[in-house]
Amino acid sequence: MEELLIENGLRATKARMEVLNVLKSNSMPLSADELILKINREVVSGSSVYRILSELEKASILKKTLRQNGLHYYTIYDSHEHYIVCSNCGKIVPITHCPISPYEEGIAQNTGFKVTGHILELQGICSDCQG
Ligand SMILES: [Zn+2]
Ligand SMILES: [Zn+2]
């Protein structure tokens, strides 16, 4: 984690390390509010979480995803992932395969856009909630 910060030109402060460690130990993306509930507040104050998240996002250490519920979720930048969300209990499960990437080139050609990303979220009812 420390190297990740330094490589990206940021000082490895205790507060930044704490945010990264909490995100790393959660396999699911977290919103800022969820993160604040989990961090050690002796190290990071709730109000500085927002600033740290935006610093880490600008340095491309974190990936920010806008979910269909209107909240931003953060994960450490690694692989490209999508999620399926249970509309009953809110459980989020990653989908490792991205079905969209192969279409991006064709869409770029057809529209003249430079495609920079996409949002894809599946919804459903998880096995626990199907009861
Ligand atoms: Zn569920
Ligand atoms: Zn994708």
Side-chain angles (χ1 to χ4, degrees):
M1 289 295 113
E2 202 171 336
E3 283 165 20
L4 188 63
L5 286 165
I6 294 164
E7 274 170 17
N8 287 283
L10 291 175
R11 275 200 310 127
T13 63
K14 275 189 183 163
R16 286 172 183 154
M17 297 283 288
E18 172 68 9
V19 168
L20 286 176
N21 283 328
V22 171
L23 284 170
K24 194 181 183 191
S25 60
N26 272 274
S27 52
M28 296 296 126
L30 296 176
S31 68
D33 290 341
E34 289 170 337
L35 189 67
I36 287 167
L37 295 176
K38 290 174 191 272
I39 54 171
N40 178 351
R41 282 195 241 170
E42 287 170 20
V43 181
V44 197
S45 71
S47 59
S48 60
V49 164
Y50 293 94
R51 177 178 50 78
I52 291 169
L53 284 172
S54 90
E55 285 168 356
L56 295 176
E57 192 219 335
K58 279 194 196 115
S60 300
I61 295 171
L62 294 185
K63 179 168 61 171
K64 182 166 87 169
T65 314
L66 179 65
R67 292 245 325 268
Q68 280 163 9
N69 63 8
L71 291 175
H72 286 103
Y73 284 75
Y74 296 87
T75 39
I76 295 176
Y77 217 107
D78 47 16
S79 60
H80 180 102
E81 272 186 344
H82 295 290
Y83 301 92
I84 184 163
V85 183
C86 176
S87 28
N88 188 51
C89 69
K91 186 188 342 186
I92 306 174
V93 175
I95 302 165
T96 46
H97 175 72
C98 173
I100 302 291
S101 295
Y103 297 111
E104 287 188 342
E105 200 175 317
I107 290 165
Q109 277 171 8
N110 291 341
T111 61
F113 275 59
K114 180 179 185 296
V115 178
T116 54
H118 54 257
I119 301 171
L120 172 69
E121 180 180 293
L122 280 78
Q123 290 168 334
I125 308 290
C126 75
S127 54
D128 292 342
C129 292
Q130 286 171 24

